[in-house]
Amino acid sequence: MTLQFDVAAAAVQAAVDAGARYADARVMERRHEAMSARNGEVESVTQDEDAGVGVRALVGSGWGFFATPDLTEEGARRAGRAAAEVAAASARVARQAGALIDLPPVTGSWASECVVDPFTVGLTEKGDLLVHATATMREHGADIAEGLYQIWDTAKWLVSSDGHRIDQRIRECGAGIMATAIGDGETQRRSYPAARGQYGTRGWELVRQIDLEANAARIGDEARALLSAPPCPSGETTLILGDEQMALQIHESVGHAIELDRILGWEAAYAGTSWLDLAQLGDLQYGSELMNITIDPTIPGALGSFGFDDEGTPATSHDAVREGRWVGVLSGRDSAAVAGLDYAGSVRADGWARLPMVRMTNVGLEPGPHTLEEMIASTDDGIFMDTNRSWSIDDKRLNFQFGCEIGYEVKDGRLGRMLRNPTYTGIGPQFWRSMDMLSSEIVPWGTPNCGKGQPGQIGHTGHPAAPARFRNVRVGVRG
Amino acid sequence: MSGDPQAIAAELLERAVGVDAAAEIEASVDTNQVALTRFANSVIHQNVADDTTRAQLRLHRDGRTASGSTTRVDDEGIVALVERTFAAVAVAPLDPGWPGLAPPAASGDAAAVDPATATVTPQHRAEVVASFVDAVGELEAAGYCRSTHSRRALANSAGQSITSESAEIAVDGIARSTDADGVARAASGHLSDVDGGALGARAAAKALRGANPVELPPDRYEVVLEPSAVADVLMFLGWYGFNAKAVEERVSFVRIGEAQFDPAVTLVDDAPAAGEAFDADGTPTRRTTLIDAGTARSLTHDLRTAAVVGAESTGHGVGAPSFGALARHLCLVPADGGVVAEVEGPIVDATTAELVAGVERGILVSDLWYTRVLDPRTLVVTGLTRNGVWLIEGGEVVQALRNFRFTQSYAQALMPGSVRGLGRVAHAIPGDTYAATAPRWMAPAMHLASWNFTGGASG
């Protein structure tokens, strides 16, 4: 793929010639296919393609970025010069010159594993899957039955003025179904396998493995049953969370909190900052000793996996929390330099037209010593909740309130009645410090809709997660 | 890569008609120049621009529908788009809900483009940011200045051919003191309307008066929501309440013809005022009254939702059937007689100060954050306050407060008897930055009888 490297190299050289002290360029080609079905009928089929080059230039202390779909070498050179011009304008409101941590030049190539190329599976087969699954949910009590799959095939070529020359091909795939039952004055929802489906850097084999049709009847039944279930009681109790909700808990109250750009204030006006203070890195007790969280983009098939991040840093696993102690962050070359850290590797862009920024990769739990069955058996009085329904957290990633689709009483070591509208709320570190049981049953959940940045970018992140038990949690918050 | 969207759309349509003149075919092209200068810690730290043209083809043939898009708009790219979209539609599942193409119709009176706004440079944006940063003085500033210039065209085999051009400048920033943030926002189709210095001064005034906040116990309090907070309420009303798809599927609380809201509430959607001349289906946009003096009057429709109930599209298609038809330019009509006037202190403007003066004991809220629906049918939303919240006593702002969590039905908050007053000036609040033709909200401040705060900073 010499052509794409040549285009990227032309953009970088033009930016350097225009005054950039560092520049990199990503040529990206992305295919996306999505199909949605509703109530037994296909609702939409879309097949999108885009291709372009995004150039990042550092002039003085200011970054500039310019993107164009013009993939001629002359078009790339214009983009390189434009990026340098934008960077130069940043000098009007600047600080002293920043730095990038060292990154030895890398020449490399990487591709995600893919057993069944999802673009080779016929639309008819895919449509039949969603039509049958949504029809089955309707037959089993859903007033609204929805199904969705999405596929991405992304190829990218990175060239930097430091000498990087890397190409990658990442195929991502996933699907899910959702049943909504409508009662008097409220709705209830059940989803499978997760609130937004399950996604990974895998082929169509992932969709076949989750077997939507086999679970559609149960999901429809549960949505209908929730309408007549008693409401989740209000008060403090022992809370057991399923692995899907734990993925959301990790994403919101750990993943975003350990983003170094947030900690440094770079996201203060929009996504927010973080309650974490770099002065406490290595010392702060984030959670209980059962809490071990890694930043690991090397997990095969997980949604946040890659061979190199979008600055060219090779994928490497880091600890974020070890035995409850905060020890690591998600960082990029510039933010790491500001913070005095010696590692980057968590910078990605949502396509060629967006500036690479600090994003979660795979941020997840290591296995604990228990099982879900053991947690329930050892709980006299509590509530089990699973499958995220709503999520809200403050701009420091401390105060959260999450709602789940379904809950169950836990009485005398057994699951009891189904509960509707289960919600829980808390403060991140207090909550994590109350975790006294953690399952070994890890599932690498994928989140395909993580919003961050301005202009807005959608990130794909992975979250290995397992059921866990928490003490003295406030549940049943209502409007 | 800028191109002439109308010419590209015409060529795309012609090539597709050449494959099958009997198919229903829609070609649309967007050319967007988007630039955003972002600042934090009082310096510009991210400064981006792109110039992108995207062509989209939608086909309905033999009862099946498929769509495809590409950013490659040269001959080769257009041919490839036509070929693969025809290939897709041949094997796509049946689409019995296909509503047909938009019929020929002229666009309404969309706002004209201000040439100065359409040609904003990186240097312009940096000057706006510099003014904001200078105005916050010793505090830290963060936010963005964004400029967009969008040209769109759509042509279909039913004979519709329509274009749209819009431009916007927007500033969204905060000033940060040790223990409080203050916010100021503005959006306009005219570059000259946006004053970075005035916005920075407003944000700084809020941050300074937010010092030493105390925590108040969660409870139901009377509130004055400032325009940024009201904008959040408007978005949820439009997307979850007045979206015809939500009503048809019985997940909305809205009942047309019923006085579900306080008589003070008149809500209109006005895409033409923001320069948006047509929706994703090619239907011309129009000013649409959703609530008239408290009574639900109209829903937002696209072609699909309109076909289901035998109604007419209101021009609110967004090209994503699963979302339905969305109002993206809502305006809560302010009380009569206002002019923009600054006031000293943390309150956003003089007419909001009039509302505060009428509160014996309540809370002034600058902004809402991370709001999520717990149940669409009741429109119960949870979220947090942000960027400035104060206790009001005796009609005066008396104490900065720490942020609250709330869990509140937005529908119930506006029910008859609940709205004690509206500001006399609607502020233009920029929407999110995910799309080039972003949403925009026009909102005055709103004095409400009750708001359910369910938690504080400590949990």
Side-chain angles (χ1 to χ4, degrees), chain A residues 38 45 47-49 51 65 67 90 92-93 182 185 187 264 266-268 270 390-392 399 401 456 474, chain B residues 38 41 44-45 47 49 67-71 84 127 249 369-370 372 374-375 377-378 386 405 433 454 456:
Chain A
R38 203 175 192 91
V45 183
Q47 293 182 324
D48 302 317
E49 289 186 2
F65 177 85
S90 302
R92 174 68 179 84
V93 190
I182 302 169
T187 64
L264 294 173
W266 296 1
E267 290 288 323
Y270 180 53
S390 67
W391 67 101
S392 174
N399 180 322
Q401 180 172 314
R474 185 180 168 205
Chain B
R38 203 170 186 215
N41 300 322
I44 293 173
H45 69 310
N47 203 348
S67 69
S69 72
T70 185
T71 55
R84 67 182 164 82
E127 288 303 325
E249 293 186 330
W369 168 244
Y370 221 121
R372 294 291 184 274
L374 300 186
D375 180 17
R377 178 95 178 209
T378 53
R386 189 175 176 182
R405 173 170 292 287
T433 61
T454 51

Side-chain angles (χ1 to χ4, degrees), chain A residues 110-128:
Chain A
W110 187 85
S112 60
E113 295 176 13
C114 178
V115 177
V116 180
D117 184 342
F119 282 97
T120 66
V121 178
L123 286 175
T124 305
E125 178 185 334
K126 293 166 178 169
D128 286 348

Side-chain angles (χ1 to χ4, degrees), chain A residues 338-419:
Chain A
V338 171
L341 301 175
D342 62 0
Y343 60 91
S346 297
V347 165
R348 288 191 289 167
D350 178 13
W352 50 268
R354 289 291 176 266
L355 179 75
M357 63 188 305
V358 174
R359 301 304 307 238
M360 283 178 242
T361 61
N362 298 309
V363 177
L365 278 163
E366 292 185 355
H370 309 107
T371 67
L372 176 59
E373 189 177 8
E374 289 168 358
M375 279 178 221
I376 292 168
S378 63
T379 302
D380 293 332
D381 186 9
I383 294 177
F384 171 75
M385 300 182 191
D386 202 14
T387 314
N388 182 255
R389 186 172 183 188
S390 67
W391 67 101
S392 174
I393 188 165
D394 73 5
D395 56 312
K396 290 182 169 29
R397 296 283 149 175
L398 266 178
N399 180 322
F400 64 81
Q401 180 172 314
F402 300 141
C404 293
E405 291 182 352
I406 195 164
Y408 290 93
E409 287 178 339
V410 180
K411 294 286 186 192
D412 303 323
R414 293 172 182 273
L415 282 184
R417 296 182 303 170
M418 179 186 288
L419 300 173

Side-chain angles (χ1 to χ4, degrees), chain A residues 35-36 38-39 41-52 61-71 85-95 122-124 126-128 131 143-144 146 180 182-188 252 256 261-262 264-273 352-357 389-401 403 421 423 425-427 430 450-458 474 477-479, chain B residues 1 34 36-54 56 65-72 80-81 84-85 87-89 91-97 122-123 125-127 129-131 133-134 142-144 146 172-174 176 181 185 218 220 245 249-251 304 321-323 369-378 380 382-387 403-409 412 432-434 452 454-459:
Chain A
M35 184 186 296
S36 64
R38 203 175 192 91
N39 300 337
E41 294 176 357
V42 168
E43 190 172 48
S44 70
V45 183
T46 60
Q47 293 182 324
D48 302 317
E49 289 186 2
D50 62 76
S61 67
W63 283 110
F65 177 85
F66 192 86
T68 177
D70 184 351
L71 286 175
E85 183 196 0
V86 172
S90 302
R92 174 68 179 84
V93 190
R95 64 161 82 87
L123 286 175
T124 305
K126 293 166 178 169
D128 286 348
V131 164
D143 292 299
I144 304 170
E146 299 166 89
T180 301
I182 302 169
D184 291 334
E186 71 171 39
T187 64
Q188 292 297 332
E252 302 293 354
H256 280 303
D261 54 352
R262 293 181 66 119
L264 294 173
W266 296 1
E267 290 288 323
Y270 180 53
T273 58
W352 50 268
R354 289 291 176 266
L355 179 75
M357 63 188 305
R389 186 172 183 188
S390 67
W391 67 101
S392 174
I393 188 165
D394 73 5
D395 56 312
K396 290 182 169 29
R397 296 283 149 175
L398 266 178
N399 180 322
F400 64 81
Q401 180 172 314
N421 300 335
T423 59
T425 187
I427 301 295
Q430 294 171 15
C450 176
K452 187 181 174 186
Q454 291 171 315
Q457 301 194 36
I458 304 294
R474 185 180 168 205
V477 184
R478 282 189 259 285
Chain B
M1 184 191 293
V34 180
L36 191 146
T37 299
R38 203 170 186 215
F39 54 105
N41 300 322
S42 296
V43 301
I44 293 173
H45 69 310
Q46 293 171 359
N47 203 348
V48 305
D50 69 270
D51 182 353
T52 303
T53 298
R54 177 180 289 275
Q56 178 167 310
T65 308
S67 69
S69 72
T70 185
T71 55
R72 294 171 54 207
L81 174 62
R84 67 182 164 82
T85 310
V89 80
V91 294
L94 291 169
D95 176 13
Q123 290 75 25
R125 290 189 301 280
E127 288 303 325
V129 170
S131 299
V133 170
D134 289 347
Y144 71 77
R146 176 185 193 248
D172 184 334
I174 61 171
R176 307 181 69 202
D181 296 344
R185 300 186 170 112
R220 291 184 182 275
K245 185 180 183 72
E249 293 186 330
R250 299 187 295 125
V251 293
R304 278 189 187 264
S322 57
F323 289 127
W369 168 244
Y370 221 121
T371 47
R372 294 291 184 274
V373 171
L374 300 186
D375 180 17
R377 178 95 178 209
T378 53
V380 171
T382 189
L384 299 115
T385 62
R386 189 175 176 182
N387 295 326
N403 282 315
F404 286 101
R405 173 170 292 287
F406 64 88
T407 308
Q408 169 68 50
S409 164
Q412 203 169 45
D432 64 56
T433 61
Y434 284 89
N452 187 27
T454 51
S458 61

Side-chain angles (χ1 to χ4, degrees), chain B residues 294-437:
Chain B
T295 298
R297 286 294 181 211
S298 177
L299 304 177
T300 53
H301 280 288
D302 59 14
L303 288 174
R304 278 189 187 264
T305 64
V308 169
V309 296
E312 185 178 305
S313 172
T314 54
H316 287 93
V318 293
S322 57
F323 289 127
L326 304 182
R328 289 161 29 99
H329 302 87
L330 285 168
C331 175
L332 178 63
V333 176
D336 291 337
V339 294
V340 177
E342 295 280 326
V343 288
E344 292 291 323
I347 304 173
V348 67
D349 65 15
T351 81
T352 305
E354 292 172 8
L355 299 180
V356 169
V359 177
E360 188 53 38
R361 189 167 194 272
I363 311 287
L364 174 64
V365 177
S366 297
D367 200 4
L368 302 179
W369 168 244
Y370 221 121
T371 47
R372 294 291 184 274
V373 171
L374 300 186
D375 180 17
R377 178 95 178 209
T378 53
L379 205 55
V380 171
V381 174
T382 189
L384 299 115
T385 62
R386 189 175 176 182
N387 295 326
V389 53
W390 290 271
L391 176 65
I392 305 167
E393 286 185 339
E396 301 280 345
V397 168
V398 296
Q399 172 65 53
L401 300 175
R402 298 186 74 183
N403 282 315
F404 286 101
R405 173 170 292 287
F406 64 88
T407 308
Q408 169 68 50
S409 164
Y410 282 6
Q412 203 169 45
L414 302 183
M415 64 193 289
S418 297
V419 180
R420 296 189 171 168
L422 294 178
R424 298 177 188 279
V425 175
H427 291 244
I429 306 297
D432 64 56
T433 61
Y434 284 89
T437 51

